[in-house]
Amino acid sequence: MTKIPTTFDTSDIVIEDRSVLFKRFFAIEQIRLKHRTFAGNWTNSFERELFERGEAVCVLLFDPQRDCVVLTEQFRIGALTDERSPWLLELVAGMVEEGESYEDVAARETDEEAGCSFSKLHSICRYWVSPGGSSERVQLYCGIIDSKDVGGIHGLAEENEDIRLTTLSFADAWAAVEAGIINNAATIIALQWLKIHHEDMIRP
């Protein structure tokens, strides 16, 4: 692959002011800054609002022996106007807390949201969710599990989590992506990765 050059880094940005506009469950900051331009100059000072979301970890639970995936189903406020339902089929997921590694979060959330553990963890990718205005970045994994006794309703009551587990054959999960039933980025990306690596993942 041709090496893609990095033109700029954080030293090419000047933060002139930073303030918190709102902070409850999430936070919104207002930042005034300027940065270098491709023409070799500097932009004028400008302001942007930044939705501080932090880092998250999402895990696609896959059972290669049964060729199925285990997905969570729960209410999502951002999908309030979804044409099908605000209850989305998603990956096991959680936010990274101070001092935690990505692998720590993957194990914790797999236990809390699915009541199981993975025997192996494959790193898929790490990506910015919506960098035009949010700080959220996601680390995606595929966790290998035995789905035999996995199911039911999970989540932490103190966090108002009400999570139902759904087990789908990989073929049905992929069909749900193509039909637009699975319609959130992390789950689509993870299932696309599994589609590419499927033969290797189910090979003994």
Side-chain angles (χ1 to χ4, degrees), residues 170-183 188 191-192 195:
F170 174 66
D172 285 346
W174 184 249
V177 171
E178 294 187 311
I181 295 170
I182 292 176
N183 57 1
I188 292 171
L191 288 170
Q192 287 175 331
K195 178 76 171 175

Side-chain angles (χ1 to χ4, degrees), residues 117-163:
S117 59
F118 44 77
S119 59
K120 191 172 184 180
L121 200 59
H122 298 272
S123 179
I124 295 175
C125 69
R126 189 172 174 220
Y127 69 96
W128 295 103
V129 174
S130 185
S134 172
S135 67
E136 185 175 13
R137 185 159 51 172
V138 169
Q139 170 65 52
L140 278 186
Y141 289 108
C142 178
I144 304 303
I145 64 166
D146 178 349
S147 65
K148 180 184 177 183
D149 298 316
V150 176
I153 297 172
H154 299 266
L156 299 178
E158 61 268 28
E159 295 183 9
N160 294 301
E161 290 182 331
D162 181 44
I163 300 168

Side-chain angles (χ1 to χ4, degrees), residues 29 31 52 70 85-86 111 117-118 177 184:
E29 290 187 341
I31 302 172
E52 284 287 1
V70 176
S85 172
D111 177 55
S117 59
F118 44 77
V177 171
N184 59 90

Side-chain angles (χ1 to χ4, degrees), residues 15 17-24 26-33 47-53 132-135:
I15 304 293
D17 186 60
R18 190 168 194 155
S19 59
V20 177
L21 297 178
F22 175 86
K23 186 171 184 180
R24 287 187 66 184
F26 297 121
I28 298 175
E29 290 187 341
Q30 185 174 65
I31 302 172
R32 186 169 69 247
L33 71 150
E47 291 184 344
R48 290 288 184 270
E49 285 74 45
L50 177 65
F51 177 42
E52 284 287 1
R53 187 70 172 87
S134 172
S135 67

Side-chain angles (χ1 to χ4, degrees), residues 55-89:
E55 292 200 286
V57 171
C58 299
V59 185
L60 172 63
L61 301 179
F62 178 60
D63 182 340
Q65 298 302 314
R66 296 174 177 83
D67 195 15
C68 65
V69 299
V70 176
L71 301 176
T72 66
E73 184 180 6
Q74 60 183 310
F75 171 77
R76 290 304 196 187
I77 188 65
L80 199 57
T81 60
D82 188 85
E83 297 82 359
R84 176 178 172 272
S85 172
W87 278 257
L88 303 184
L89 288 169

